């Protein structure tokens, strides 16, 4: 294997800032105490969003991946960070969702004067910032062991968010989530150890250059991918997700459903398309597509059957994640066309981003509804749009993306995937996409119908709901719609740095 050297590029320090800044904020909150937690978090959210936008701007201006070698130590001893176009999109998406969730949480915490700056609120800010750092580390990490550490940090920041209210039901859901996550971590670590023992490196760039049919490589990747599937909650390993995401407070549900489960999906994408040998990648892609299609159909039906709004949204999350796994055979590429040049690659990336924005909007809207009525029983929400018009609008706009109706990011994503399925000769995937859209329409319209219903008695809320509490969900839903104006063709930004040559030098 030819040794490769990572090189720090101009602007590479931004990647370090993206990972370190939230950690510094966590330390500042611990040092300053609960009364300063919200203010420190707000300043960090603004700075973190600026850093993510700066990374995207640097990627566009340079047209190449950003990289940074920490301490100038080359892998396998040192740590290299790298951001290509897809990483840049994930960083910006994550920052937007975290900022919107933070603003929502700030207003929501202010509704209860007695609990302001309490233990649960302080824990939320600490875990949100820790989770943000871990997500950024996953999106720019280049070393499989460092990525394992980032995944563990992500798990241990996400699990407390599930049971912030301390109820026995949510604690049980958090423990089930932790069990699945630890099982996934064990499998991932076994695969990592096997790779290191066989090749002496865990650097993704070096592993991507192996290009060999090696049983050890295939076994290691299989272990790692199964472990990541448990963390991503793909059918049939989704059992932990609905109770965990439905039981958590609304801001926590939003980041868990929109962001946390995207990290393992992102890593699976890199392992299959960048590291796996072509034949193994083809087999893995077919298997993942079957599971993805099953996830779309089964969990969409489950969403239709739910009586509670948050449970319905949670099952919808598992269904929508399925679309990300049907990308693999569709974006297989060819000798003349690399995977990242296909329309399926663009469709999958847009599904990642649009689903995150739409799903966060839905959970925040559901949180407003729960604050207003004290429950989220769909059957008892008739006419809620009359007192919560912005939340109803946010839910409807986000639903457009889930259904794949124009104009929305979900429409562009699903249209590109559908086109790729038809062109590539996958009629069963094309049928799955169409049926999944119809099923999504079924469960979204159940809620819209309730929002527009004419109640027999005036609808009253348990407490006054400030309009600014509804703006965060509406802003995310509008962002999900705006992605629908992306042209229906391979998106150039997502191809930046995918050749992997701009950041590597051969000594």
């Amino acid at each position: 294997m030819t040794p490769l050297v990572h090189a720090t590029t101009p602007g590479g320090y931004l990647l370090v800032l993206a990972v370190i800044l939230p950690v510094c904020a966590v330390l500042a909150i611990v040092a300053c105490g609960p009364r300063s937690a919200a203010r420190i978090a707000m300043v960090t959210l603004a700075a973190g969003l600026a850093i993510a936008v700066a990374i995207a701007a640097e990627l566009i201006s340079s047209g190449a991946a950003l990289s940074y070698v920490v301490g100038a130590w080359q892998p396998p001893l040192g740590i290299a960070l790298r951001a290509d176009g897809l990483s840049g999109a994930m960083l910006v998406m994550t920052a937007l969702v975290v900022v919107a969730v933070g603003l929502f949480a700030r207003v929501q915490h202010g509704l209860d004067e007695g609990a302001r700056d309490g233990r649960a609120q302080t824990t939320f800010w600490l875990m949100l910032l820790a989770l943000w750092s871990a997500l950024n580390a996953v999106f720019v990490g280049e070393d499989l062991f460092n990525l394992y550490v980032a995944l563990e940090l992500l798990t241990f920041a996400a699990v407390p968010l599930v049971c912030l209210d301390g109820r026995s039901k949510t604690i049980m859901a958090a423990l089930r989530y932790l069990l699945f996550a630890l099982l996934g971590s064990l499998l991932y670590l076994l695969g990592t150890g096997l790779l290191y023992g066989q090749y002496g490196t865990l650097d993704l760039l070096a592993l991507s250059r192996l290009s060999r049919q090696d049983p050890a490589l295939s076994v290691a990747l299989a272990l790692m991918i199964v472990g990541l599937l448990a963390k991503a909650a793909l059918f049939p390993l989704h059992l932990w997700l609905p109770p965990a995401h439905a039981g958590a407070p609304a801001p926590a549900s939003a980041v868990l459903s929109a962001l946390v489960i995207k990290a393992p999906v992102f890593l699976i994408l890199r392992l299959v398309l960048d590291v796996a040998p072509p034949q193994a990648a083809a087999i893995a892609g077919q298997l993942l597509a079957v599971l993805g299609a099953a996830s779309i159909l089964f969990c969409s039906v489950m969403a239709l059957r739910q009586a509670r709004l948050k449970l319905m949204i949670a099952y919808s999350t598992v269904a929508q994640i399925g679309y990300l796994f049907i990308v693999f055979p569709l974006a297989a590429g060819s000798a003349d066309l690399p995977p990242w040049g296909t329309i399926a690659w663009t469709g999958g990336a847009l599904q990642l981003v649009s689903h995150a924005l739409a799903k966060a909007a839905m959970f925040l809207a559901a949180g407003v509804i729960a604050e207003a009525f004290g429950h989220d029983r769909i059957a008892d929400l008739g006419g809620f749009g009359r007192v919560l018009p912005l939340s109803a609008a946010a839910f409807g706009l986000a639903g457009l993306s889930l259904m794949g109706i124009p104009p929305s990011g979900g429409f562009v994503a699903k249209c590109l995937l559908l086109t790729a399925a038809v062109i590539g000769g996958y009629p069963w995937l094309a049928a799955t996409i169409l049926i999944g859209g119809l099923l999504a329409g079924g469960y979204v319209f159940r809620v819209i119908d309730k929002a527009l219903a004419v109640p027999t008695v005036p609808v009253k809320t348990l407490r006054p709901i400030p309009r600014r509490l509804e703006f965060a969900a509406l802003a995310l839903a509008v962002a999900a719609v705006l992605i629908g104006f992306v042209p229906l063709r391979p998106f150039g930004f997502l191809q930046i740095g995918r050749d992997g040559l701009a950041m590597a030098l051969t000594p």
Side-chain angles (χ1 to χ4, degrees):
M1 183 175 59
T2 304
L4 297 170
V5 177
H6 289 267
T8 297
T9 60
Y13 68 91
L14 292 170
L15 307 181
V16 181
L17 288 178
V19 177
I20 293 298
L21 180 68
V23 176
C24 294
V26 168
L27 296 176
I29 291 174
V30 172
C32 297
R35 289 184 180 277
S36 304
R39 285 194 295 274
I40 293 172
M42 288 296 110
V43 173
T44 307
L45 296 185
L49 177 60
I51 291 171
V53 172
I55 290 172
E58 189 68 28
L59 284 168
I60 293 172
S61 65
S62 67
L66 298 185
S67 65
Y68 188 87
V69 183
V70 179
W73 287 82
Q74 294 295 328
L77 296 179
I79 298 175
L81 306 178
R82 182 174 185 266
D84 55 19
L86 181 60
S87 299
M90 299 298 287
L91 291 171
V92 173
M93 174 202 77
T94 300
L96 286 174
V97 172
V98 169
V99 168
V101 166
L103 293 174
F104 178 93
R106 181 74 186 274
V107 178
Q108 187 187 38
H109 294 170
L111 296 179
D112 189 354
E113 290 290 340
R116 180 180 289 183
D117 301 330
R119 184 173 63 180
Q121 284 76 8
T122 305
T123 302
F124 171 80
W125 292 119
L126 289 171
M127 296 302 106
L128 178 67
L129 293 168
L131 181 147
W132 192 9
S133 175
L135 282 168
N136 287 346
V138 169
F139 297 143
V140 302
E142 274 293 288
D143 182 273
L144 289 175
F145 184 76
N146 292 327
L147 288 170
Y148 164 76
V149 174
L151 285 172
E152 291 308 286
L153 290 175
L154 187 63
T155 297
F156 289 111
V159 168
L161 289 176
V162 174
C163 54
L164 273 178
D165 58 10
R167 292 181 295 140
S168 59
K169 191 175 181 180
T170 58
I171 292 175
M172 288 297 294
L175 290 175
R176 181 185 292 186
Y177 172 26
L178 182 62
L179 182 64
F180 272 80
L182 291 179
L183 176 63
S185 298
L186 177 63
L187 294 174
Y188 181 92
L189 193 58
L190 284 173
T192 302
L194 189 57
L195 282 179
Y196 189 75
Q198 187 73 9
Y199 305 111
T201 183
L202 295 175
D203 183 67
L204 279 171
L205 179 62
L207 292 171
S208 69
R209 303 301 176 85
L210 289 175
S211 184
R212 65 175 67 169
Q213 295 295 334
D214 188 337
L217 179 60
S218 298
V219 171
L221 291 178
L223 288 170
M224 297 170 74
I225 289 172
V226 172
L228 292 169
L229 289 179
K231 290 176 177 288
L234 184 68
F235 176 88
L237 301 173
H238 68 287
L239 300 178
W240 61 267
L241 188 146
H245 288 198
S253 300
V255 292
L256 293 171
S257 198
L259 302 177
V260 172
I261 57 172
K262 299 299 191 310
V265 175
F266 178 83
L267 289 184
I268 293 173
L269 200 64
R270 295 199 67 183
L271 291 176
V272 173
L273 297 182
D274 293 350
V275 178
Q279 290 185 357
I283 295 172
Q286 296 289 340
L287 293 175
L288 291 172
V290 170
L291 293 177
S295 193
I296 293 170
L297 299 177
F298 179 80
C299 291
S300 293
V301 172
M302 290 299 294
L304 273 170
R305 299 180 58 187
Q306 299 308 308
R308 283 186 52 210
L309 179 58
K310 288 188 72 177
L311 263 178
M312 186 204 81
I313 301 172
Y315 272 105
S316 163
T317 295
V318 186
Q320 294 291 317
I321 284 293
Y323 288 97
L324 301 175
F325 288 90
I326 66 174
V327 168
F328 290 100
L330 304 180
S334 63
D336 301 324
L337 183 65
W340 47 91
T342 63
I343 57 174
W345 173 266
T346 298
L350 291 179
Q351 173 67 10
L352 260 173
V353 176
S354 63
H355 173 258
L357 298 172
K359 194 48 61 76
M362 278 189 163
F363 267 118
L364 294 185
V368 175
I369 292 169
E371 284 284 347
F373 301 108
H375 68 84
D376 65 345
R377 296 186 298 275
I378 298 174
D380 297 331
L381 293 178
F384 81 86
R386 294 173 180 269
V387 293
L388 300 172
L390 298 184
S391 296
F395 197 94
L397 291 174
L400 292 179
S401 194
L402 297 193
M403 291 183 284
I405 293 179
S408 69
F411 165 72
V412 177
K414 293 178 174 69
C415 184
L416 290 174
L417 292 175
L418 181 63
T419 304
V422 172
I423 294 174
Y426 291 94
W428 59 281
L429 285 180
T432 301
I433 294 170
L434 293 173
I435 295 172
L438 291 174
L439 292 172
Y443 59 73
V444 169
F445 276 117
R446 280 181 66 202
V447 181
I448 299 301
D449 179 59
K450 289 295 180 183
L452 300 178
V454 178
T456 55
V457 295
V459 179
K460 294 182 179 178
T461 61
L462 297 178
R463 63 165 76 180
I465 300 296
R467 285 283 180 257
R468 64 182 188 279
L469 187 64
E470 300 183 85
F471 280 134
L474 185 61
L476 288 171
V478 170
V481 170
L482 290 178
I483 296 176
F485 293 94
V486 171
L488 285 167
R489 60 173 182 268
F491 192 30
F493 180 78
L494 297 171
Q495 301 177 41
I496 293 176
R498 289 303 304 168
D499 55 12
L501 299 177
M503 45 74 72
L505 304 171
T506 303

